[in-house]
């Protein structure tokens, strides 16, 4: 018997059974057996505007009928790529910066790591190659991002990774300070998610992000915020950098920029970085992907951002979050969950006694609510258009499936 052709992501290759999703609308999904689900994790933390938005689909179709695809390697450019870069930087903390475009979060991370090192080299600091990663960090699966991860299981088994990476603690800024004391003049950049997502929805401890900013400034290193999940409204601002009032030198993004309608990611570069890259007119930025600035993806991004703006979804993230937070607070008071954490429209509930989350996640999916189980916690990151009734169902189903209080 031949095995199925499709090798699934983050799955045992021997696994044979999967649930086929056939239709989606708003924050609802349907499988091939006609069962419906609330998509409480926005597929994979990406679908800000909800599923089935014909406006984005039409924008993609219209773009493809005039120019379906063309590259942006010199000397070529296209209007939607230029317009999307312009729109993204105007929403970001770097309205005078520049935007590199790619096709995924992993590509955005590897691009940012390469930009950090080349910026050091162009600044006559070629010895600065070290990247500081954060415990629990998730930065995608390319070699740079794999090395930058703070989740050991994701780093293991792939042979030698990229050299010159060191890990700091997830919450204690003193651990970063020690690394700077030891390696200060060899550090090119610190990379971290302002709110860690796949590592379990961990908002930063007080002063942590500010502390990183100060350490980078004092030691001539760049600060990279990986905003692949937190960007495009998820935290109640366009970027978490704005939520926390800490401005990094490089911001990676993906997911919510198109709400997943077509693949796209990118890196926002501060003026400080751009000044270095632009200084020598003979320098060529030897980096780019075949599908960087893809006209259909960038048209999707523009239509998606239009919807986020028109429907006030950035502010809606806070409203969604308040309802989740109130519900989780009540579940904690009733002893149903141990604790909760989150910000904006991303939350996690820690199960009592550190219960492994996988069984609870499976029970919730069986009751029609798709969540992620991360170690001992259940994570929620729904489309920002989710309605109050569906939020309440998510919380009720968590209460049904969490281990019974003693
Ligand atoms: C913070 C962060 N960075 C990078 C990535 C990788 O993105 P992609 O899967 O699009 O390559 C992810 C994916 O979940 C992410 O959460």
């Amino acid at each position: 018997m031949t095995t199925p052709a499709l090798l699934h992501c983050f799955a045992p290759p021997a696994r044979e059974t999967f649930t086929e999703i056939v239709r989606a609308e708003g924050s609802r999904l349907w499988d091939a057996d006609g069962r419906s689900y609330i998509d409480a994790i926005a597929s994979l933390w990406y679908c800000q505007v909800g599923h089935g938005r014909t406006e984005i689909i039409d924008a993609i179709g219209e773009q493809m009928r005039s120019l379906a695809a063309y590259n942006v390697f010199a000397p070529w450019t296209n209007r939607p790529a230029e317009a999307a870069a312009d729109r993204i930087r105007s929403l970001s903390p770097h309205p005078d910066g520049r935007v590199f475009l790619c096709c995924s979060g992993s590509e955005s991370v590897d691009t940012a790591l390469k930009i950090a090192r080349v910026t050091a080299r162009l600044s006559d600091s070629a010895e600065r190659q070290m990247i500081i990663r954060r415990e629990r960090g998730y930065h995608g699966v390319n070699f740079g991002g794999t090395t930058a991860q703070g989740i050991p299981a994701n780093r293991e088994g792939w042979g030698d990774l990229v050299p010159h990476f060191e890990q700091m603690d997830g919450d204690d800024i003193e651990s970063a300070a020690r690394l700077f004391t030891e390696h200060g003049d060899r550090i090119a950049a610190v990379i971290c998610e302002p709110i860690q997502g796949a590592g379990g929805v961990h908002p930063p401890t007080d002063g942590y992000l500010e502390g990183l900013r100060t350490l980078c400034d004092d030691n001539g290193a760049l600060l990279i915020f990986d905003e692949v999940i937190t960007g495009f409204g998820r935290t109640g601002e366009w970027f978490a950098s704005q939520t926390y009032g800490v401005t990094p030198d490089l911001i990676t993004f993906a997911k919510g920029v198109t709400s997943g309608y077509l693949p796209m990611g990118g890196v926002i570069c501060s003026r400080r970085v751009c000044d270095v890259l632009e200084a020598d007119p003979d320098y060529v930025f030897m980096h780019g992907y075949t599908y960087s600035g893809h006209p259909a993806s960038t048209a999707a991004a523009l239509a998606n951002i239009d919807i986020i703006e028109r429907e006030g979804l950035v502010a809606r993230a806070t409203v969604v979050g308040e309802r989740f937070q109130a519900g989780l607070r009540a579940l904690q008071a009733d002893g149903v969950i141990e604790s909760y954490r989150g910000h904006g429209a991303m939350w996690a509930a820690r199960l009592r006694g550190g219960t492994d989350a996988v069984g609870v996640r499976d029970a919730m999916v069986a009751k029609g609510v798709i969540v992620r189980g991360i170690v001992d916690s259940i994570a929620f990151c729904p489309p920002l258009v989710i309605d109050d009734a569906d939020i309440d169902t998510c919380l009720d189903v968590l209460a049904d499936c969490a281990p019974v209080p003693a």
Side-chain angles (χ1 to χ4, degrees), residues 10 44-46 103-109 137-142 145 149 191-199 225-230 252-255 263-265 372:
F10 282 85
L44 267 181
W45 323 79
Y46 63 67
C103 313
S104 70
S106 297
E107 289 182 356
S108 73
V109 166
Y138 184 89
H139 299 292
V141 295
N142 289 350
Q149 291 220 12
I191 183 165
C192 81
E193 303 152 270
I195 300 174
Q196 294 182 308
F225 277 178
D226 183 348
E227 295 232 33
V228 164
I229 289 179
T230 52
T252 58
F253 65 86
K255 299 192 188 268
M264 187 173 135
R372 275 187 96 70

Side-chain angles (χ1 to χ4, degrees), residues 12 42 54 63 75 114 139 175 179 207 243 263 270 280 314 351-352 382 397:
T54 49
Q63 176 56 43
K114 287 175 76 177
H139 299 292
S175 127
L179 287 172
T243 301
S270 66
D280 175 0
V314 177
L351 301 167
R352 295 174 62 253
V397 169

Side-chain angles (χ1 to χ4, degrees), residues 33 81 201 218 260 271 327 396:
D33 296 328
V201 187
D218 291 351
R271 179 56 16 219
D396 290 346

